[in-house]
Coordinates of all heavy atoms in Angstrom, one line a residue:
K753 N 17.1 18.3 -8.6 CA 15.8 18.7 -8.9 C 15.8 19.6 -10.1 O 16.6 20.5 -10.2 CB 15.1 19.4 -7.7 CG 13.7 19.8 -7.9 CD 13.1 20.5 -6.7 CE 11.6 20.8 -6.9 NZ 11.0 21.4 -5.8
V754 N 14.8 19.4 -11.1 CA 14.8 20.2 -12.3 C 14.2 21.5 -12.0 O 13.2 21.6 -11.3 CB 13.9 19.4 -13.4 CG1 13.7 20.3 -14.6 CG2 14.6 18.1 -13.8
F755 N 14.8 22.6 -12.5 CA 14.2 23.9 -12.5 C 14.5 24.6 -13.8 O 15.2 24.1 -14.7 CB 14.7 24.7 -11.3 CG 16.1 25.1 -11.3 CD1 16.5 26.4 -11.7 CD2 17.1 24.2 -11.0 CE1 17.8 26.8 -11.7 CE2 18.5 24.6 -11.0 CZ 18.8 25.9 -11.4
F756 N 14.1 25.8 -14.0 CA 14.2 26.6 -15.2 C 14.8 27.9 -14.9 O 14.3 28.7 -14.1 CB 12.9 26.7 -15.9 CG 12.3 25.3 -16.1 CD1 11.4 24.8 -15.2 CD2 12.5 24.6 -17.3 CE1 10.9 23.5 -15.3 CE2 12.0 23.3 -17.4 CZ 11.1 22.8 -16.4
G757 N 15.9 28.2 -15.6 CA 16.6 29.5 -15.3 C 17.2 30.1 -16.6 O 17.2 29.4 -17.7
C758 N 17.8 31.3 -16.5 CA 18.3 32.0 -17.6 C 19.6 31.3 -18.0 O 20.5 30.9 -17.2 CB 18.6 33.4 -17.3 SG 19.2 34.4 -18.6
S759 N 19.9 31.3 -19.4 CA 21.1 30.7 -19.9 C 22.3 31.5 -19.6 O 23.5 31.1 -19.7 CB 21.0 30.4 -21.4 OG 20.7 31.7 -22.1
N760 N 22.1 32.8 -19.2 CA 23.2 33.7 -18.9 C 23.6 33.7 -17.4 O 24.3 34.5 -16.9 CB 22.9 35.1 -19.3 CG 22.9 35.3 -20.8 OD1 23.6 34.5 -21.5 ND2 22.2 36.2 -21.3
Y761 N 23.1 32.7 -16.6 CA 23.4 32.5 -15.2 C 25.0 32.4 -15.2 O 25.6 31.7 -16.0 CB 22.7 31.3 -14.6 CG 23.1 31.0 -13.2 CD1 22.5 31.7 -12.1 CD2 24.2 30.1 -12.9 CE1 22.9 31.4 -10.8 CE2 24.6 29.9 -11.6 CZ 24.0 30.5 -10.6 OH 24.3 30.3 -9.3
P762 N 25.7 33.0 -14.2 CA 25.2 33.7 -13.0 C 24.9 35.2 -13.2 O 24.6 35.9 -12.3 CB 26.3 33.5 -12.0 CG 27.5 33.4 -12.8 CD 27.2 32.8 -14.1
D763 N 25.2 35.7 -14.5 CA 24.9 37.1 -14.7 C 23.5 37.5 -14.5 O 23.1 38.6 -14.1 CB 25.4 37.5 -16.1 CG 26.9 37.3 -16.2 OD1 27.6 37.5 -15.2 OD2 27.4 37.0 -17.3
C764 N 22.6 36.6 -14.9 CA 21.1 36.8 -14.7 C 20.6 35.7 -13.8 O 20.9 34.5 -14.0 CB 20.4 36.7 -16.0 SG 18.6 36.8 -15.9
D765 N 19.8 36.1 -12.8 CA 19.3 35.1 -11.7 C 17.9 34.7 -11.9 O 17.2 34.2 -11.0 CB 19.6 35.7 -10.3 CG 18.8 37.0 -10.1 OD1 18.2 37.5 -11.0 OD2 18.9 37.5 -9.0
F766 N 17.3 35.0 -13.1 CA 15.9 34.6 -13.3 C 15.7 33.1 -13.1 O 16.5 32.3 -13.7 CB 15.4 35.0 -14.7 CG 14.0 34.6 -15.0 CD1 12.9 35.3 -14.5 CD2 13.7 33.5 -15.8 CE1 11.6 34.9 -14.8 CE2 12.5 33.1 -16.0 CZ 11.4 33.8 -15.5
V767 N 14.7 32.7 -12.4 CA 14.4 31.3 -12.2 C 13.0 31.0 -12.0 O 12.2 31.8 -11.6 CB 15.2 30.8 -10.9 CG1 14.6 31.5 -9.6 CG2 15.2 29.3 -10.7
L768 N 12.6 29.8 -12.5 CA 11.2 29.2 -12.4 C 11.3 27.8 -11.9 O 12.2 27.1 -12.3 CB 10.4 29.2 -13.7 CG 10.0 30.6 -14.3 CD1 9.5 30.3 -15.7 CD2 9.0 31.2 -13.5
W769 N 10.4 27.4 -11.0 CA 10.4 26.0 -10.5 C 9.4 25.2 -11.3 O 9.4 24.0 -11.2 CB 10.1 26.0 -9.0 CG 11.3 26.4 -8.2 CD1 11.4 27.6 -7.5 CD2 12.5 25.7 -8.0 NE1 12.7 27.6 -6.9 CE2 13.4 26.5 -7.2 CE3 13.0 24.4 -8.4 CZ2 14.6 26.1 -6.8 CZ3 14.3 24.0 -8.0 CH2 15.1 24.8 -7.2
N770 N 8.5 25.9 -12.0 CA 7.6 25.1 -12.9 C 7.9 25.4 -14.3 O 8.3 26.5 -14.7 CB 6.1 25.6 -12.6 CG 5.7 25.3 -11.1 OD1 5.9 24.2 -10.7 ND2 5.2 26.3 -10.4
R771 N 7.7 24.4 -15.2 CA 8.0 24.4 -16.6 C 7.2 25.5 -17.3 O 6.0 25.5 -17.2 CB 7.7 23.1 -17.3 CG 8.2 23.1 -18.8 CD 7.9 21.7 -19.4 NE 8.7 20.7 -18.7 CZ 10.0 20.4 -19.1 NH1 10.5 21.1 -20.1 NH2 10.6 19.5 -18.5
P772 N 7.9 26.5 -18.0 CA 7.2 27.5 -18.7 C 6.6 27.0 -20.0 O 7.1 26.1 -20.7 CB 8.2 28.6 -19.0 CG 9.5 27.8 -19.1 CD 9.3 26.7 -18.1
V773 N 5.4 27.5 -20.4 CA 4.7 27.1 -21.7 C 4.6 28.4 -22.5 O 4.1 29.4 -22.0 CB 3.4 26.5 -21.4 CG1 2.6 26.1 -22.7 CG2 3.6 25.2 -20.5
L774 N 5.0 28.3 -23.8 CA 4.9 29.5 -24.7 C 3.4 29.7 -25.1 O 3.0 29.3 -26.1 CB 5.7 29.2 -25.9 CG 7.3 29.4 -25.7 CD1 8.0 29.0 -27.0 CD2 7.5 30.9 -25.4

Side-chain angles (χ1 to χ4, degrees):
K753 185 176 180 180
V754 173
F755 70 99
F756 304 88
C758 181
S759 58
N760 287 337
Y761 176 85
D763 297 327
C764 177
D765 61 358
F766 176 79
V767 66
L768 291 170
W769 286 105
N770 297 310
R771 183 179 295 276
V773 176
L774 281 173

